[in-house]
Amino acid sequence: VTERHADGKKLPITIAMVRRALEACPNVVYLALEGSFTISNAGATTKPVVLKELQSLCLSPVQGQNGALLSLIDAENCSYFNIDFRERPDEKPQEWKWSTYLQGLRRAGAFRIHVSDYHPMIRIESMEGLCRVDITYSDERRNYYGTQQVVYSIMEAILVELEKDSALTNPIQLSFGHFHVPPPHWKIPDPAWLRLLKFLQEPIVDASSGKKRWRLPHLNSISLRDPSWLKGYLKQFVTAREVAFEGQTVDRITEILREHSAIPSTDIFSEVMGYDSEMP
C-alpha cells in the first residue's frame, strides 16, 4: 500500500491517511486493511472514526500496526473481526482498544472459544453464528511456538476486556481442535491451549477487598477432538473450578464432549474425571 506522488515517488500510507479515508466513507460495511503502514504524529487525534454500518473488519498489516489501526475505528455493530499476522509483532495487545469490537460477543446468548494449531488458531464465536472474532497467522515460515504466545496474548487481552466491568453471564464452551503436545523435555513456553486452561483455573483477586471470583463463571462445557493427551489437564481444570467463592454463582462443568467427524459427539466426562495417570 503506497501513495504515488506526481513525480513518481512512492511513500508508505500513514495512519493519518487511513483516518481521512475512513472519514470520507462513514457508511462502509466491509473493511480490510492490509499492507505496510507508518505512524505519524502530525495532526494526530485520539478520537476514533465512528463507522455505524461496519459489519466486517479484517486487519493484516505487514509491520504490526494492529493497535494503531484499531484505535482509529469505533464500530459497535461490527459482527466479524479478524486479525491476521504476517510476522511476529512487538506490540502489547493488552493496550489495544478492544471494546468496540466485542459488543457482538457481549450480546450473544452463548459463545464458544476454539483453540487450534491450524487456521484459525483462535476463534471466539457466538453459538447462534451471529458474531465472530478470528486470530490467524498467514506466514508459513512462522516461528510456531513464538506465534502461539502472540496469539494467546491477544486472546487473553480479549477475555480480560470482555469482563472488564463485570463477569459475563453468557453460557460458554471451550473447544480444542487439532494441536501439538510438546514433550516435557522441550524447554519451550506452554502452547496456547495449555495457557488458556491455566489462565481460567486461576481466580481473579480484587485488589481492594481481596475477594476472589472465576472468569467466565458460566463455562459449562468442553469439546475436543483427541482427549488422549488432555485428560490429566482437564481433570485438574474441572476440579480447580469446583471451588465456590462467596457472592458468585458459577456453573459446574458437567460435559466434556469428544467430537467425531461422522457420528454424534460422545460425552467422556466420567472417563476424564476417573483418569488417574500422570500428566505428560
Side-chain angles (χ1 to χ4, degrees):
V1 179
T2 57
E3 178 186 30
R4 184 184 293 274
H5 286 202
D7 60 3
K9 185 178 180 180
K10 293 182 179 181
L11 295 175
I13 293 294
T14 66
I15 299 296
M17 293 176 185
V18 176
R19 174 185 293 279
R20 290 197 293 272
L22 296 177
E23 289 172 339
C25 304
N27 296 317
V28 63
V29 176
Y30 302 100
L31 177 63
L33 297 172
E34 59 179 284
S36 179
F37 302 90
T38 60
I39 297 178
S40 171
N41 292 325
T45 175
T46 57
K47 187 177 180 180
V49 180
V50 178
L51 302 176
K52 292 185 178 181
E53 303 300 321
L54 187 66
Q55 297 178 17
S56 174
L57 174 63
C58 299
L59 300 181
S60 184
V62 173
Q63 297 178 343
Q65 301 296 342
N66 286 293
L69 292 172
L70 284 177
S71 68
L72 289 178
I73 302 169
D74 182 344
E76 65 178 19
N77 295 314
C78 184
S79 58
Y80 175 68
F81 176 44
N82 173 226
I83 293 183
D84 181 39
F85 291 113
R86 297 186 182 180
E87 62 181 33
R88 184 173 179 177
D90 296 324
E91 297 175 287
K92 297 179 180 179
Q94 297 82 356
E95 299 174 2
W96 297 355
K97 296 183 179 180
W98 293 106
S99 57
T100 185
Y101 310 100
L102 305 178
Q103 298 303 318
L105 290 177
R106 289 195 179 97
R107 293 191 292 265
F111 65 87
R112 175 188 297 108
I113 302 172
H114 177 78
V115 183
S116 174
D117 281 347
Y118 303 100
H119 187 94
M121 297 185 75
I122 291 176
R123 169 171 288 171
I124 306 174
E125 63 180 343
S126 67
M127 295 292 199
E128 305 92 336
L130 301 178
C131 57
R132 193 170 84 218
V133 175
D134 284 346
I135 306 169
T136 59
Y137 200 97
S138 61
D139 188 350
E140 294 180 356
R141 299 170 298 174
R142 65 181 184 258
N143 175 331
Y144 173 76
Y145 289 105
T147 302
Q148 284 268 320
Q149 306 314 305
V150 174
V151 169
Y152 171 78
S153 66
I154 292 177
M155 178 178 60
E156 183 176 303
I158 288 175
L159 293 180
V160 169
E161 180 65 34
L162 279 170
E163 296 193 297
K164 186 174 182 179
D165 299 318
S166 60
L168 288 170
T169 59
N170 318 56
I172 296 170
Q173 180 187 73
L174 290 186
S175 173
F176 298 101
H178 297 287
F179 54 81
H180 294 86
V181 180
H185 63 274
W186 290 13
K187 303 302 180 182
I188 57 175
D190 290 337
W193 62 268
L194 183 52
R195 288 188 64 182
L196 175 62
L197 286 179
K198 291 181 177 181
F199 177 67
L200 294 178
Q201 72 184 46
E202 287 294 329
I204 301 171
V205 181
D206 184 270
S208 57
S209 66
K211 289 186 177 180
K212 297 181 179 180
R213 66 177 177 88
W214 291 114
R215 298 186 188 277
L216 310 183
H218 298 291
L219 168 60
N220 57 17
S221 175
I222 298 173
S223 71
L224 65 161
R225 291 280 185 177
D226 181 5
S228 57
W229 288 96
L230 276 183
K231 290 179 183 177
Y233 294 111
L234 291 178
K235 180 180 179 179
Q236 184 183 70
F237 178 74
V238 172
T239 302
R241 287 183 61 100
E242 287 180 343
V243 176
F245 296 122
E246 182 181 357
Q248 184 183 36
T249 302
V250 179
D251 290 350
R252 296 184 63 181
I253 299 172
T254 57
E255 180 181 71
I256 300 178
L257 301 175
R258 180 174 184 174
E259 302 291 345
H260 303 277
S261 57
I263 61 175
S265 303
T266 305
D267 192 340
I268 59 169
F269 182 85
S270 297
E271 179 182 337
V272 168
M273 299 311 291
Y275 182 79
D276 59 3
S277 299
E278 294 184 3
M279 288 187 294

